[in-house]
Amino acid sequence: MAKPTSIKPAAAPQVYDVAVGDEMRDSFLEYAYSVIYSRALPDARDGLKPVQRRILFQMSQMGLRPEKGHVKSARVVGEVMGRLHPHGDGAIYDALVRLAQPFTLSLPLLDGHGNFGSVDDGPAAMRYTECRLAVSALSVTESIDENTVDFMANYDGREQEPEVLPAAFPALLVNGAAGIAVGMATSMAPHNLGETIAAAKLLLAKPKATLEQIMKVLPGPDLPSGGQIVGTAGIIDAYRTGRGSFKMRASAAIEDVNPRRKGIVITALPYNVGPERVVEKIKELVISKKIEGVANITDLTDYDHGLRLVIEIKSGYQPSAVLAKLYKSTPLEESFNINNVALVQGQPKTLSLIELLEVFLAHRLQVVTRRSEHRRKIAKDRLHLVDGLLVAVLDIDEVIAVIRASDDTAAAKQKLMEVFDLTEIQTQYILEMPLRRLTKFSVLELENEKTELKATIKELTSILNSPDKLRETVAGELDHVAKLHAVPRRTMILNDDEIPLEIEQAAIQIPDQPCIVLYSQAGLLARTESDQLPPGNARVKYDAIAQQVETTTRSQLGLITTEGRLIRVNVVDLPVTTKSGLASNVAASAIATLRKGERIVGISPLTTNGTLALATELGVIKRVELTDLPAKETVEVISLKLGDSVIGCGWITADDEPLGVLITEDARLLQFELTDIRAQGRNAGGVSGIKASTKSKVIGFYVCHESAVIITIAASANTLPGTGHSSIKVTELTEFSITARGGAGVRCHKFRKGESALALAYAGEPPAAANTARGAAVELPQTDARDATGAKLEQQITALGSLLG
């Protein structure tokens, strides 16, 4: 029977008296140091936080190079967590995702495959995404196995991890950083790789370079999202002291989003601002009526064209003033606070731009020095072995004889060292080499290798012995990185004197002010900014002015169609013409809903101080008062007979007594006083204006005065429009007598042989204009008699009208 084991009584617990204050202080300091050093702040040398450094190092150890296939992100996270980073997988995956996001980093270090998120949305779970090192990451991890950096034990002492990565470019400046530690935080803006390397090279060549000199090559941050940086004062403060702030602003342009409305098109947003956030904020402001003038907002962003956020502006509002309001009230303008806090020799420090570059350059010089020493040592060791191999190969038979005559390896080693004057290392290498390899060595190959090794050792020694050569090597490697990865600047920096003035005091709504609406022969519409026309010598390319109407900006205009309809449009929707003519215009048919075959023939103001005059192809003339019009977009202003259509219109002011001119296809002209025609209601069909023959029709109706000129162009009736014009004639209106309406008119153009009809006609105030199809101006002939044949036409004319002014 077994004896019962004796149980020793447990030792009494040790109790220590500790002041609560001291314990709290010590524990908090240890925690704070752990967070600062091991989690939140990047190292100023390689620009990486510990978790980022461990991810890149572990992926490098796993062989996940750019030319290899992607692997599951979960696998990488598991390896990093198990071997190097004793924290949650969520934190590791978040850091991994950030390293792969092109909208977060200027130069992503990981190549992600799958949904790695956007500014508005998070990434997919790590079991769904894949990753590998990006080409740029090789510049960060390259030469890590050449004794370039120190290694330390991991959290459990079973693995080794680098204290810092070699980093061939200033990653902290290029990609920026953000982190919150205990009692401090870091917030660093991304920069352009090419500009950052240029600044580093400048400081490398001129260690006493000033901030002003460096800012000539590195003017400021370059955000991955693009956009604009407004003002440089905060940037200069941050570069000088390590702290500062600057404003980021979206890139916006005012465009015609449709024929009736203008819109604000956003093509770039501030850093870390997504389109969904902007859309949500604008909708909130519109609903709460804190901002006016926004009709609609559409996100047209896609992978082919990039960001495109279209904000449609209501009619009558100033797009530039609305944009200024949006900048002040939405995330379209944000501030970026710079706080350049990073670890320098394990201690957090606020660094200026020059200090950041100096820390990187000191690190890079040390890396290249240690790498050169490592490579020189390897080359020297190999040269030593090659010298021994040369001796052995030259006397290969004797070497074999010595080995065969020896009793054991130790004896053979000793005899070889004595006979051939070899070192122990050379002898051991020869003995361990298989005989078949030893006999295959060529003396010539060994001699060439010896020459190359000596050249390598000489080159590496020169780098180690010459500070200038060392700096030259570092500069060359920086150039190589820039050549591989540099991209043009994405963010525009606006100096204080280049910032466009915001329309803060101006009314968002366009004021109701006098203007003139221009209608061209090609059916284009535009308005002037005031009641003054552009200079009279300004020709309108491709076109000529058919009508001009005085109105106001916030009034409505009527478009008269061939079917006798009046279509309302807002004058404020029309583009503003420039001083040189209709450089900015819109087709009248584009802003009106027309029926099949229906055309716009003219324009009319919608006021009560006058009447609208219309004429049809069958010679009907009508005056109609536009009072008490129905509140509809389209209104019938004349009842047409079957087969008839409106061919022209004009406006008669209440205090004016203009003349009406009708011109038919068979060159008949009738001039009469419009005041003799009584105004009719909208539903009336008009009265007889000219008796056109059954084989002819009215081609033009004009409201003008005695000072007007008549231009007619004759051609064969069988030719296509715009071709076969034969003669042109300019006649003063006073050549024709004023008669009563209803007559047949008088001949206004005597046809030549082969001519049978008028192709074009125009009546209006001089100076008149004529353009070809290519927009070239055609000089008009001198005025001629009423019944003359006109001048021979050398160029085909497609537009007749008046000059501006």
Side-chain angles (χ1 to χ4, degrees):
M1 186 174 178
K3 296 181 179 179
T5 55
S6 59
I7 301 175
K8 296 182 179 180
Q14 297 291 324
V15 179
Y16 301 94
D17 291 331
V18 178
V20 175
D22 294 341
E23 180 64 23
M24 290 291 291
R25 183 183 64 253
D26 294 343
S27 298
F28 182 79
L29 288 175
E30 290 181 7
Y31 165 73
Y33 180 77
S34 175
V35 172
I36 292 170
Y37 182 76
S38 302
R39 296 191 191 183
L41 300 185
D43 193 295
R45 293 171 291 177
D46 61 5
L48 300 172
K49 298 178 184 179
V51 64
Q52 296 170 328
R53 186 180 304 113
R54 289 163 179 166
I55 290 171
L56 295 176
F57 173 70
Q58 186 59 44
M59 291 181 70
S60 176
Q61 294 297 101
M62 295 169 66
L64 304 181
R65 295 176 57 83
E67 66 271 14
K68 300 294 182 63
H70 295 82
V71 301
K72 287 289 185 182
S73 300
R75 178 183 170 189
V76 175
V77 171
E79 289 288 327
V80 172
M81 182 171 59
R83 302 170 74 92
L84 302 174
H85 197 68
H87 300 286
D89 57 353
I92 299 174
Y93 184 55
D94 287 345
L96 185 150
V97 167
R98 178 182 170 84
L99 290 172
Q101 291 177 333
F103 53 84
T104 300
L105 304 184
S106 286
L107 186 64
L109 301 178
L110 296 187
D111 177 14
H113 181 66
N115 178 14
F116 274 76
S118 66
V119 181
D120 291 309
D121 299 316
M126 57 183 168
R127 61 182 178 275
Y128 298 120
T129 61
E130 298 177 334
C131 63
R132 64 183 176 188
L133 291 175
V135 177
S136 56
L138 300 183
S139 300
V140 178
T141 59
E142 196 173 33
S143 72
I144 194 171
D145 55 350
E146 295 183 278
N147 194 35
T148 52
V149 295
D150 292 332
F151 278 71
M152 61 182 181
N154 72 333
Y155 66 94
D156 62 1
R158 299 181 183 181
E159 305 278 350
Q160 291 288 309
E161 62 174 307
E163 292 183 0
V164 67
L165 294 182
F169 64 91
L172 186 56
L173 277 169
V174 172
N175 284 330
I180 300 175
V182 178
M184 62 185 65
T186 185
S187 177
M188 304 181 67
H191 291 74
N192 182 272
L193 175 68
E195 294 175 353
T196 305
I197 287 179
K201 287 176 58 183
L202 175 62
L203 193 62
L204 187 65
K206 299 179 179 179
K208 294 185 179 181
T210 64
L211 179 62
E212 289 73 19
Q213 291 174 322
I214 291 177
M215 287 191 68
K216 289 182 179 179
V217 295
L218 181 59
D222 185 23
L223 309 173
S225 57
Q228 299 175 341
I229 292 177
V230 182
T232 58
I235 296 174
I236 296 173
D237 289 342
Y239 283 174
R240 182 175 290 115
T241 66
R243 296 177 183 272
S245 65
F246 60 87
K247 284 186 178 181
M248 305 175 292
R249 181 176 282 186
S251 295
I254 297 173
E255 301 179 6
D256 293 325
V257 295
N258 59 50
R260 288 198 173 197
R261 283 179 174 170
K262 289 188 175 293
I264 302 168
V265 179
I266 309 296
T267 54
L269 291 172
Y271 186 49
N272 284 335
V273 174
E276 290 184 10
R277 178 181 164 196
V278 173
V279 171
E280 182 180 351
K281 183 62 176 179
I282 292 177
K283 288 182 177 179
E284 176 187 328
L285 293 174
V286 170
I287 292 173
S288 61
K289 297 183 179 181
K290 293 181 179 179
I291 192 167
E292 298 177 350
V294 176
N296 190 22
I297 181 167
T298 308
D299 186 2
L300 301 180
T301 303
D302 58 33
Y303 288 104
D304 294 328
H305 304 92
L307 177 71
R308 187 173 176 84
L309 201 61
V310 179
I311 304 171
E312 190 174 335
I313 304 301
K314 292 180 180 178
S315 301
Y317 285 82
Q318 298 270 22
S320 54
V322 175
L323 178 59
K325 183 72 172 178
L326 290 174
Y327 277 143
K328 295 179 66 175
S329 307
T330 70
L332 291 179
E333 184 175 280
E334 293 273 282
S335 293
F336 190 102
N337 296 315
I338 296 177
N339 189 23
N340 294 336
V341 177
L343 295 175
V344 179
Q345 297 180 351
Q347 301 296 322
K349 185 178 179 181
T350 303
L351 303 170
S352 67
L353 174 63
I354 292 179
E355 289 172 333
L356 283 168
L357 292 171
E358 286 175 342
V359 171
F360 164 75
L361 290 174
H363 170 62
R364 194 60 196 168
L365 290 169
Q366 184 182 30
V367 166
V368 174
T369 299
R370 292 179 60 164
R371 185 189 65 197
S372 300
E373 291 173 345
H374 178 78
R375 290 178 178 177
R376 185 175 68 171
K377 181 179 182 304
I378 292 177
K380 285 183 176 180
D381 292 344
R382 178 59 185 173
L383 180 61
H384 185 60
L385 296 178
V386 169
D387 287 337
L389 285 174
L390 280 170
V391 173
V393 171
L394 289 173
D395 297 315
I396 186 66
D397 294 333
E398 188 174 354
V399 169
I400 294 173
V402 169
I403 294 174
R404 294 186 63 182
S406 302
D407 295 333
D408 52 25
T409 302
K413 182 177 180 180
Q414 187 63 33
K415 287 183 180 180
L416 286 174
M417 292 170 63
E418 294 173 355
V419 173
F420 297 102
D421 194 21
L422 298 173
T423 65
E424 184 177 354
I425 294 175
Q426 291 171 327
T427 306
Q428 187 67 31
Y429 184 70
I430 293 171
L431 288 173
E432 291 177 352
M433 182 177 295
L435 185 61
R436 55 186 173 80
R437 286 187 57 195
L438 186 62
T439 56
K440 286 184 179 180
F441 273 116
S442 166
V443 175
L444 183 59
E445 290 178 358
L446 290 173
E447 288 288 353
N448 289 338
E449 185 180 0
K450 181 177 180 180
T451 302
E452 292 175 359
L453 288 170
K454 285 185 175 180
T456 300
I457 292 170
K458 182 179 179 181
E459 175 68 19
L460 293 170
T461 301
S462 67
I463 293 175
L464 292 170
N465 293 339
S466 171
D468 292 339
K469 185 73 173 178
L470 178 61
R471 286 194 293 269
E472 182 181 337
T473 303
V474 172
E477 293 178 358
L478 287 171
D479 279 335
H480 178 68
V481 175
K483 185 177 180 180
L484 288 177
H485 306 298
V487 295
R489 166 170 279 276
R490 303 179 179 103
T491 306
M492 180 187 298
I493 298 178
L494 300 178
N495 295 323
D496 297 317
D497 57 347
E498 297 175 336
I499 301 173
L501 296 176
E502 297 181 359
I503 311 177
E504 295 181 356
Q505 303 301 325
I508 292 182
Q509 290 193 3
I510 296 175
D512 191 17
Q513 59 188 11
C515 67
I516 298 176
V517 175
L518 304 173
Y519 178 67
S520 76
Q521 290 286 9
L524 302 179
L525 283 169
R527 65 178 172 88
T528 63
E529 289 185 322
S530 66
D531 57 356
Q532 299 297 316
L533 285 170
N537 61 350
R539 287 191 176 273
V540 183
K541 191 175 182 182
Y542 304 116
D543 214 344
I545 298 301
Q547 283 181 273
Q548 56 189 47
V549 171
E550 295 183 3
T551 181
T552 60
T553 308
R554 301 192 66 81
S555 63
Q556 287 191 319
L557 186 77
L559 305 182
I560 309 303
T561 74
T562 53
E563 295 188 5
R565 296 195 304 155
L566 182 148
I567 302 175
R568 297 174 184 266
V569 296
N570 295 317
V571 175
V572 75
D573 290 340
L574 304 180
V576 179
T577 186
T578 64
K579 292 183 178 180
S580 59
L582 291 186
S584 177
N585 52 63
V586 64
S589 57
I591 62 175
T593 304
L594 301 178
R595 299 167 182 168
K596 185 177 181 180
E598 189 178 20
R599 295 180 296 106
I600 306 294
V601 296
I603 60 175
S604 169
L606 300 182
T607 61
T608 59
N609 66 337
T611 55
L612 173 67
L614 305 167
T616 72
E617 284 187 345
L618 298 183
V620 174
I621 184 76
K622 179 185 179 181
R623 282 182 64 183
V624 57
E625 293 182 350
L626 301 182
T627 56
D628 301 325
L629 288 178
K632 298 190 298 184
E633 183 180 358
T634 61
V635 179
E636 300 284 346
V637 290
I638 186 173
S639 295
L640 296 173
K641 294 181 181 180
L642 184 64
D644 200 3
S645 62
V646 177
I647 51 90
C649 67
W651 182 253
I652 308 169
T653 58
D655 56 352
D656 195 11
E657 296 182 357
L659 299 171
V661 176
L662 291 167
I663 302 176
T664 65
E665 197 173 26
D666 58 353
R668 309 292 294 181
L669 183 148
L670 179 68
Q671 180 186 187
F672 58 95
E673 293 182 351
L674 284 168
T675 53
D676 291 343
I677 301 175
R678 182 176 57 84
Q680 297 177 303
R682 291 186 299 105
N683 296 325
V687 296
S688 176
I690 186 171
K691 291 181 179 179
S693 66
T694 56
K695 295 182 179 180
S696 178
K697 61 183 180 181
V698 179
I699 63 171
F701 168 63
Y702 309 96
V703 175
C704 49
H705 296 84
E706 290 183 352
S707 57
V709 294
I710 307 297
I711 306 175
T712 51
I713 297 178
S716 171
N718 297 324
T719 59
L720 294 173
T723 65
H725 296 175
S726 179
S727 63
I728 182 171
K729 186 168 75 74
V730 179
T731 311
E732 293 181 356
L733 185 58
T734 54
E735 289 284 325
F736 302 91
S737 60
I738 300 174
T739 62
R741 63 171 181 81
V746 295
R747 186 164 64 182
C748 61
H749 194 127
K750 185 177 180 180
F751 292 143
R752 297 185 178 194
K753 185 179 179 180
E755 298 176 345
S756 58
L758 292 182
L760 289 174
Y762 173 75
E765 300 297 321
N771 288 345
T772 66
R774 293 182 176 272
V778 178
E779 185 176 353
L780 296 174
Q782 297 295 322
T783 57
D784 210 337
R786 174 184 65 80
D787 200 28
T789 57
K792 185 178 179 181
L793 192 60
E794 301 294 338
Q795 301 181 68
Q796 299 300 308
I797 294 176
T798 59
L800 292 172
S802 68
L803 289 177
L804 293 177

